[in-house]
Amino acid sequence: MKTRTHTCGELRKTNIGDTVSLNGWISKTRDLGALTFIDLRDRYGKTQIVFNKDISLAAFESAKSLGLEDVIGITGKVVPRPEDAINSNILTGDIDVEVYDIIVYNESDTPPFDINDRQSASEDHRLKFRYLELRTRELQDNMILRHRASIATRNFLSSRDFIEVETPILMKSTPEGARDFLVPSRIHKGSFYALPQSPQTYKQLLMVSGLDKYFQIVKCFRDEDFRADRQPEFTQIDIEMSFAKQQDIIDLGTGLTSYLWKEILDIDLPKEFPIYSYNETMERFGSDKPDTRFGMELQEFSEFVKVSDFNAFKTILESNGIVKAIVCPNANNYSRKIIDELTEYLKKYFGAKGLAWMKCNDGKLDGGISKFFDQDNQNNIISSLDVKDNEIIFIIGDKSKIVFHSLGALRLELAKRESLIDQSKWAPLWVVDFPLVDWNEDNNRWDALHHPFTAPNPEDIDMLGTSPGEVRSLGYDIVMNGYELGGGSIRIHDKNMQQDIFKLLGVSDEKAEEKFGFLMNAFKYGAPPHGGMAFGFDRIVMLMVNSNQIRDVIAFPKTTSAMSLMDKSPSKVDSDQLNELGLRIIDGDDS
């Protein structure tokens, strides 16, 4: 093997005349008869190497049989390129290497797709050969940026006296919102470990242990339904602090985010990020992770309904529902066909029963439900909602949750259609004052909106027994461009308060002892006030590389159905392994 003197992205005009050795993959080859040109690639870049029979006949003849993605090592002399052959698009574009010796380490079969053009194959096909897709410049750049972001995270937190502590991957199954991945124990048959959805209980125990500033870049697991920006296994920047108030953690999270954007992208974010209440984000944007790079905010429409003849919306208001609207430009872009498609989208994914609309032309509203609103009412709508000619009003009435989620999704869809989003802009913000609990209609109970260890706002504690749905939590999320970067809360550190919350959530004393007894026992021995948060590291990197696909920043990701097409996992195991674990597979027909 040749010991390389330089990488394939390193040589410059200053190296002309040097004898060098390079190793890499053949990215491109051009046979000009008396000369053969090859682009040699490694993760640092490309260098054009030249085989000339007058320099080395043996190397020249060897090059004739080389194919794409063969792995070779060469030794040669750095020479200047002719003026008309200089490639200013690459850093090595001023030079070539004239080869006089070559070693072929490995010949490649014909690649299943063009490594130089990542989009030459479907995503599923690329995932099947992920080790080849990782050779592409785009994914290698993503992996390098991810590495830099992890180093920057550690540097930032370490400089502020945080220490990184590893917590167990095999842990006790605890209910935290999503389903656990379970791991059967061979030694303790019939018992199971769980893979952590987060290190939540462990980091709280570290606070009890007196390790007052903890962080960890940690792998977490959730067995849930997936989409483009989720994976069954993902990476968190996990943080916990003792003796910290909510503002302390917001300041830390703002500082870390600003530091990463500056270090990695050389972007200066605002020194302070805007802070919105949960209720405000829902009322204005229909989302608790709003994209504020454009307007088109939700507007109140109830007053216009009350004096209209549109009885369907009146009935909704009488049933304590709400009616909201958004105003979109370029009404001519929205034919009945397009509106019907938008309606079906909102029905399918968000439970909306319909999408009402009216268009503004020559200062008047027409089409859709306009006939149910007299001229005075229309004039008030146009004035109050600041509706201009060739704009369309979309209106939804229903339960508040359905209205907010539907119009929030519609707002984003319309903004994309109308190119309203400034893609060069970064809009970070915080959302606070989340509800502590949310009513679960299917199971007729209160569920923790965040997790059962989130502290209620001290100002609202008196309402826990009478109006729990109105109690605010000391929870907070950080949002960037419509994506939740992370979230956390001040934790409950008092055993009695924790027991009260378990009772509110319908967790019996026996179940609480079974699931969380170790944490409650720890609280008996002096638990400090504490709180923290977790950032979605994969999502941060996804945004930094300007992708909307989280698989682009994970080396070996799963599909949206949680499959690995490369190694075909999950896979079946043989009966001997199952017997060792005391397990058997039950078919769907078995009772």
Side-chain angles (χ1 to χ4, degrees):
M1 188 182 77
K2 290 185 176 294
T3 300
R4 63 182 175 185
T5 60
H6 298 79
T7 69
C8 293
E10 191 175 352
L11 297 173
R12 304 290 188 269
K13 286 193 292 186
T14 54
N15 297 107
I16 289 173
D18 293 349
T19 297
V20 300
S21 292
L22 305 177
N23 292 314
W25 287 260
I26 294 177
S27 179
K28 186 177 181 181
T29 181
R30 297 174 298 286
D31 186 346
L32 303 184
L35 297 173
T36 298
F37 291 89
I38 284 177
D39 287 350
L40 192 65
R41 181 193 72 238
D42 61 15
R43 77 173 175 92
Y44 304 95
K46 291 181 182 178
T47 296
Q48 182 169 270
I49 59 177
V50 185
F51 294 84
N52 185 331
K53 64 181 178 181
D54 294 334
I55 301 295
S56 171
L57 181 61
F60 175 79
E61 291 179 343
S62 180
K64 291 291 186 182
S65 63
L66 295 176
L68 295 180
E69 301 305 314
D70 288 353
V71 188
I72 64 173
I74 61 97
T75 298
K77 183 178 180 180
V78 182
V79 297
R81 284 195 189 187
E83 286 291 329
D84 60 354
I86 290 174
N87 183 354
S88 58
N89 294 322
I90 60 174
L91 295 174
T92 60
D94 291 312
I95 59 91
D96 289 334
V97 176
E98 287 186 337
V99 179
Y100 60 75
D101 187 43
I102 180 173
I103 296 177
V104 179
Y105 300 125
N106 217 319
E107 293 183 353
S108 171
D109 290 348
T110 301
F113 62 91
D114 184 358
I115 307 297
N116 295 308
D117 180 9
R118 187 176 169 226
Q119 302 306 318
S120 64
S122 69
E123 185 186 33
D124 281 358
H125 192 62
R126 299 194 312 268
L127 286 173
K128 184 178 178 181
F129 299 95
R130 183 64 167 188
Y131 44 85
L132 295 182
E133 188 180 18
L134 283 168
R135 291 185 192 173
T136 64
R137 182 76 267 157
E138 181 181 349
L139 286 196
Q140 291 204 343
D141 285 346
N142 290 356
M143 293 302 109
I144 292 167
L145 186 146
R146 183 184 176 109
H147 163 73
R148 292 174 56 214
S150 69
I151 295 297
T153 297
R154 288 186 164 95
N155 289 342
F156 177 88
L157 292 170
S158 297
S159 71
R160 284 153 180 79
D161 293 329
F162 284 80
I163 60 172
E164 186 165 12
V165 181
E166 292 184 354
T167 54
I169 292 297
L170 298 176
M171 63 175 291
K172 185 180 183 67
S173 178
T174 58
E176 291 188 31
R179 288 179 292 272
D180 287 327
F181 281 104
L182 298 177
V183 180
S185 170
R186 177 184 60 82
I187 298 172
H188 306 283
K189 285 186 171 59
S191 295
F192 295 81
Y193 301 102
L195 302 181
Q197 296 182 33
S198 80
Q200 182 61 50
T201 52
Y202 289 118
K203 63 183 179 181
Q204 290 191 255
L205 289 170
L206 289 172
M207 296 303 101
V208 177
S209 302
L211 298 173
D212 66 321
K213 288 185 174 183
Y214 143 92
F215 84 97
Q216 185 180 187
I217 300 180
V218 60
K219 189 72 77 175
C220 301
F221 308 85
R222 289 180 187 170
D223 185 7
E224 59 185 352
D225 297 329
F226 304 109
R227 54 178 186 252
D229 63 338
R230 285 187 178 173
Q231 285 278 294
E233 51 183 311
F234 56 96
T235 304
Q236 281 186 183
I237 305 170
D238 207 48
I239 300 169
E240 198 79 4
M241 301 168 62
S242 293
F243 310 111
K245 296 180 180 178
Q246 177 171 291
Q247 190 60 47
D248 296 326
I249 298 171
I250 286 176
D251 290 343
L252 179 76
T254 299
L256 175 57
T257 304
S258 297
Y259 181 81
L260 288 175
W261 257 251
K262 182 63 177 177
E263 283 289 302
I264 308 303
L265 302 179
D266 197 25
I267 297 291
D268 290 307
L269 296 178
K271 290 184 178 180
E272 294 183 358
F273 299 170
I275 298 177
Y276 296 85
S277 72
Y278 170 84
N279 287 338
E280 181 182 5
T281 64
M282 298 305 291
E283 290 283 346
R284 292 177 57 184
F285 308 105
S287 171
D288 59 4
K289 47 181 184 293
D291 190 338
T292 58
R293 292 175 294 172
F294 66 100
M296 204 191 299
E297 297 183 13
L298 279 60
Q299 303 200 54
E300 184 56 57
F301 205 77
S302 300
E303 295 304 314
F304 309 118
V305 170
K306 292 175 182 176
V307 292
S308 75
D309 295 324
F310 196 60
N311 293 327
F313 278 170
K314 283 185 175 180
T315 301
I316 287 169
L317 293 177
E318 290 167 0
S319 303
N320 296 317
I322 63 172
V323 182
K324 296 276 186 178
I326 52 178
V327 179
C328 176
N330 301 320
N332 292 338
N333 291 343
Y334 297 92
S335 63
R336 281 303 300 266
K337 180 176 182 295
I338 297 297
I339 294 172
D340 287 345
E341 289 174 357
L342 292 172
T343 302
E344 288 306 309
Y345 165 68
L346 297 178
K347 284 182 177 179
K348 181 177 180 180
Y349 292 105
F350 303 98
K353 297 178 181 65
L355 177 62
W357 58 275
M358 297 183 280
K359 294 182 179 181
C360 185
N361 292 306
D362 298 325
K364 297 180 180 179
L365 300 179
D366 61 21
I369 62 171
S370 60
K371 64 184 179 181
F372 297 103
F373 296 77
D374 63 32
Q375 193 58 54
D376 286 342
N377 204 357
Q378 288 191 18
N379 292 340
N380 287 335
I381 292 170
I382 292 170
S383 175
S384 299
L385 274 57
D386 192 25
V387 184
K388 298 177 177 60
D389 279 350
N390 195 31
E391 291 190 332
I392 182 170
I393 309 170
F394 289 106
I395 313 114
I396 294 179
D398 212 311
K399 297 176 182 178
S400 59
K401 186 179 292 188
I402 290 175
V403 171
F404 288 140
H405 289 172
S406 298
L407 281 180
L410 181 62
R411 174 178 178 266
L412 291 175
E413 177 63 26
L414 296 175
K416 292 173 185 175
R417 287 172 177 262
E418 301 302 325
S419 301
L420 300 179
I421 303 174
D422 182 353
Q423 300 293 341
S424 67
K425 187 176 180 181
W426 297 102
L429 59 92
W430 288 91
V431 180
V432 300
D433 291 337
F434 284 86
L436 181 70
V437 292
D438 186 39
W439 183 249
N440 185 326
E441 292 185 358
D442 293 335
N443 297 313
N444 197 33
R445 71 180 189 210
W446 292 106
D447 288 339
L449 195 69
H450 190 187
H451 57 59
F453 312 111
T454 299
N457 190 309
E459 297 176 4
D460 298 346
I461 286 177
D462 290 345
M463 293 189 290
L464 275 173
T466 56
S467 306
E470 297 179 30
V471 176
R472 296 167 296 166
S473 75
L474 293 180
Y476 33 81
D477 281 354
I478 184 170
V479 176
M480 179 78 80
N481 295 0
Y483 287 93
E484 180 190 328
L485 290 189
S489 67
I490 299 298
R491 322 300 187 190
I492 299 169
H493 65 277
D494 177 76
K495 181 182 179 183
N496 293 329
M497 172 59 72
Q498 187 66 72
Q499 288 174 334
D500 288 343
I501 296 299
F502 282 151
K503 288 178 181 177
L504 174 63
L505 300 176
V507 180
S508 66
D509 291 342
E510 293 77 12
K511 184 65 71 174
E513 177 63 30
E514 177 191 346
K515 296 292 186 183
F516 305 111
F518 62 97
L519 183 63
M520 297 298 96
N521 286 332
F523 281 4
K524 295 177 182 178
Y525 300 103
H530 59 282
M533 66 179 301
F535 286 86
F537 186 60
D538 309 297
R539 196 168 293 169
I540 286 175
V541 178
M542 181 187 80
L543 289 176
M544 285 183 164
V545 303
N546 195 31
S547 174
N548 61 2
Q549 171 57 268
I550 207 164
R551 290 190 287 274
D552 285 350
V553 298
I554 297 172
F556 298 102
K558 306 291 190 295
T559 66
T560 51
S561 60
M563 291 282 295
S564 171
L565 300 180
M566 183 186 68
D567 60 11
K568 296 182 173 58
S569 64
S571 59
K572 297 184 183 301
V573 297
D574 63 41
S575 57
D576 288 343
Q577 286 179 284
L578 292 174
N579 290 335
E580 244 189 339
L581 294 168
L583 299 176
R584 67 185 179 93
I585 303 299
I586 299 177
D587 294 330
D589 294 335
D590 291 350
S591 57

